[in-house]
Amino acid sequence: MKHDEAGSAARLLTVVERAVSDRLRSALVSWELDLEEWRVLSLLSDGEGHTMAETAEFALLSPPTLTKAVNRLVSNNLVHRRNGTVDRRQVLIRLTARGRAMHDEAAPVMETIAASVFASASERELLETLLRALETNAKASSVTH
């Protein structure tokens, strides 16, 4: 049975993503976080308040799933929600001091795991460049039959 190259490349992307995600999830057990919650903390680590929509896009979550994740993070005193100052209907989320400390403790571990996939920094940069181009192409193209 012959596999086409595009199908093989797509499969390989999935295999690599799963392997890296599994490693990251295993490391996060120490902090009692899941990967989606980690992505939220990572975005918020810039010190800015982010809307739920921005956070959902960054964390790769649907709005209802993000709401559940943020609720868990709020109950664990890692993030807090505030209404926006310009638009009171807009909800901004930010790290708490505890969330900042947890992020700062976990970030080097998470970065080491992510970096361990690559033989060199230049290999990582090359893949990131290629993946950005693929993301742009994937979002822009539509499949026609």
Side-chain angles (χ1 to χ4, degrees):
M1 179 157 121
K2 184 177 182 327
H3 299 288
D4 68 36
E5 288 182 26
S8 295
R11 183 182 177 286
L12 280 171
L13 274 173
T14 301
V15 168
V16 171
E17 187 278 330
R18 285 182 183 170
V20 173
S21 292
D22 287 348
R23 285 174 155 181
L24 295 172
R25 280 188 185 92
S26 293
L28 287 168
V29 168
S30 303
W31 290 279
E32 298 179 1
L33 291 171
D34 64 29
L35 191 52
E36 293 72 22
E37 292 166 340
W38 172 250
R39 287 188 190 122
V40 172
L41 295 184
S42 295
L43 175 65
L44 300 179
S45 70
D46 66 5
E48 303 294 318
H50 289 275
T51 65
M52 293 291 278
E54 289 172 322
T55 307
E57 183 178 336
F58 182 85
L60 308 171
L61 297 172
S62 68
T65 304
L66 174 66
T67 298
K68 289 175 190 164
V70 169
N71 287 344
R72 283 191 306 271
L73 292 169
V74 167
S75 16
N76 290 325
N77 191 28
L78 298 173
V79 304
H80 59 84
R81 286 181 271 237
R82 293 270 193 285
N83 288 338
T85 53
V86 176
D87 182 350
R88 301 290 298 161
R89 296 167 299 176
Q90 190 175 57
V91 175
L92 298 177
I93 53 177
R94 294 180 187 270
L95 286 180
T96 62
R98 184 170 187 262
R100 163 73 55 206
M102 183 178 287
H103 174 271
D104 292 351
E105 182 182 313
V109 173
M110 299 302 282
E111 181 58 31
T112 298
I113 292 168
S116 72
V117 174
F118 302 97
S120 66
S122 62
E123 192 179 86
R124 183 178 183 169
E125 288 169 15
L126 180 62
L127 182 61
E128 286 174 353
T129 300
L130 179 59
L131 289 173
R132 280 190 197 95
L134 289 171
E135 178 186 24
T136 301
N137 293 343
K139 287 180 177 178
S141 68
S142 62
V143 177
T144 56
H145 296 286

